[in-house]
Amino acid sequence: MPLFPLAVVLFPRTELPLHIFEERYKQMVAEVLRGKTEFGVVQAGEKGIVNTGCTATIEKVVKEYADGRMDLVTVGRRRFEIILLNDEKPYLRGAVEFFDDEPSGPISPEVRKRVMEGYNDLRTLDEGEPLGDSELADPQLSFQLAQAVPDLDFRQILLATRSESERMRRLADFLPGYNSRRRQLLHVRAVAPTNGHSKWPPGI
């Protein structure tokens, strides 16, 4: 399967807009479009790529440029673990093993309440849109909720976790502290003097 290393963590049934400009990925996308197949999105960092990723399908080609660049809308599909890497083509490919959640206990009302309170608080801080009915009905609701969290390490942990109840528990524990740090950062940005040259970090 073609692999696309990016500084993102993609979840099943969530959108990922992409701008394709490197020649090797133009070739990859062209082959994916011809075959109407999936490709794998894996988080890339200083130490290379991680072992767990999520496949994506191309839902729409938004724009094609004269030089071959493309704007795409992709959607996450299936989680996988990389078994073997292959670099015979210009872009990376891998033999993968797909996985889904294992049977687990129900999510307690207390955990669900804490998660939704934390999520709604975060959406208020970031002035984000609430989830739609179809997203709230996702049996793996944790993935939809975690879209609002930019922390890649935390997102990667959720992606690899094979239990919805465990992902919800992790979100319930994570969101209050994250929201507190986010609130402090927003406060500092609002009150700190600037000289027109300050460059704040993009977020936590």
Side-chain angles (χ1 to χ4, degrees), residues 103-150:
S104 64
I107 302 161
S108 74
E110 187 266 339
V111 167
R112 184 180 291 273
K113 178 174 179 290
R114 287 170 57 208
V115 172
M116 294 311 301
E117 286 176 348
Y119 174 80
N120 290 331
D121 186 26
L122 176 57
R123 292 287 76 185
T124 299
L125 287 172
D126 290 344
E127 300 180 349
E129 294 293 325
L131 291 178
D133 291 341
S134 62
E135 294 163 322
L136 286 169
D138 192 324
Q140 294 175 321
L141 176 61
S142 58
F143 289 140
Q144 301 294 338
L145 298 173
Q147 275 290 91
V149 179

Side-chain angles (χ1 to χ4, degrees), residues 71-89:
D71 293 332
L72 311 174
V73 173
T74 69
V75 173
R77 296 300 175 190
R78 301 186 286 172
R79 290 178 289 166
F80 62 84
E81 288 186 344
I82 299 172
I83 307 301
L84 187 68
L85 291 174
N86 183 309
D87 59 1
E88 292 176 356
K89 288 196 172 187

Side-chain angles (χ1 to χ4, degrees), residues 1-4 6 8 10-18 28 32-33 36-42 53-59 72-80 98:
M1 183 174 67
L3 298 176
F4 198 171
L6 292 168
V8 301
L10 176 64
F11 294 132
R13 295 171 302 284
T14 61
E15 284 193 355
L16 176 65
L18 291 175
M28 183 195 80
V32 167
L33 286 170
K36 297 181 179 179
T37 56
E38 299 168 289
F39 63 96
V41 175
V42 289
C54 182
T55 66
T57 53
I58 298 172
E59 298 301 296
L72 311 174
V73 173
T74 69
V75 173
R77 296 300 175 190
R78 301 186 286 172
R79 290 178 289 166
F80 62 84
F98 296 104

